[in-house]
Amino acid sequence: MARLSLIVTIIAVALTCVFAEKELYTDRYDDINIYEILENDKLRAQYYNCFVGTAPCKTADAKFFAEVIGEALQTQCGKCTEKQKNLLDSLVDWYTKNKPEEWEAFIKKTIEKAQNKNA
């Protein structure tokens, strides 16, 4: 009986770990129009500056994405919803094609933040 109890406990812990890893970011801001932001120089600059920390985040969605984008990039969007994966893919695609030097600066800043967090 004790052995069965131990097996059930082990299975419960394993399932808890599996489900804990599947925790996703909130989908509250999934319906933003990424193309509208990317095509508008002023709006794109606001988001970019928010993400790299050179200006305050002016909207709730910018604050949210600024908080999670580094982790999302590092984990290959492990906690992203499908819409968030598409948003990130669109962001990466646009920046690597249109503003590669800004993208490189963003990646450098993201790596620095991660290193400081782990230090």
Side-chain angles (χ1 to χ4, degrees):
M1 187 62 136
R3 187 177 206 166
L4 181 60
S5 178
L6 177 63
I7 292 172
V8 169
T9 301
I10 291 171
I11 292 172
V13 169
L15 287 174
T16 301
C17 291
V18 168
F19 287 119
E21 289 180 27
K22 293 295 182 183
E23 183 179 328
L24 301 177
Y25 301 127
T26 181
D27 63 356
R28 185 174 190 176
Y29 304 108
D30 281 8
D31 292 324
I32 66 166
N33 185 336
I34 188 77
Y35 300 107
E36 182 179 302
I37 295 167
L38 292 171
E39 297 303 323
N40 181 315
D41 292 342
K42 184 177 178 182
L43 200 53
R44 184 180 65 249
Q46 284 179 353
Y47 277 83
Y48 180 83
N49 291 330
C50 161
F51 290 174
V52 296
T54 57
C57 299
K58 295 188 176 190
T59 62
D61 63 313
K63 289 176 189 175
F64 166 74
F65 285 115
E67 289 175 9
V68 302
I69 195 165
E71 179 184 53
L73 287 168
Q74 291 174 354
T75 63
Q76 297 178 342
C77 241
K79 294 182 181 179
C80 295
T81 64
E82 284 303 311
K83 285 186 178 181
Q84 290 165 357
K85 289 177 185 178
N86 292 332
L87 289 170
L88 187 60
D89 286 346
S90 297
L91 181 78
V92 171
D93 185 55
W94 191 92
Y95 267 96
T96 55
K97 288 179 181 174
N98 297 289
K99 300 276 186 180
E101 56 287 331
E102 285 185 14
W103 183 249
E104 287 178 32
F106 172 74
I107 294 299
K108 183 178 177 184
K109 188 73 167 178
T110 302
I111 291 169
E112 287 173 9
K113 284 181 184 178
Q115 288 173 340
N116 290 338
K117 208 176 204 182
N118 292 332

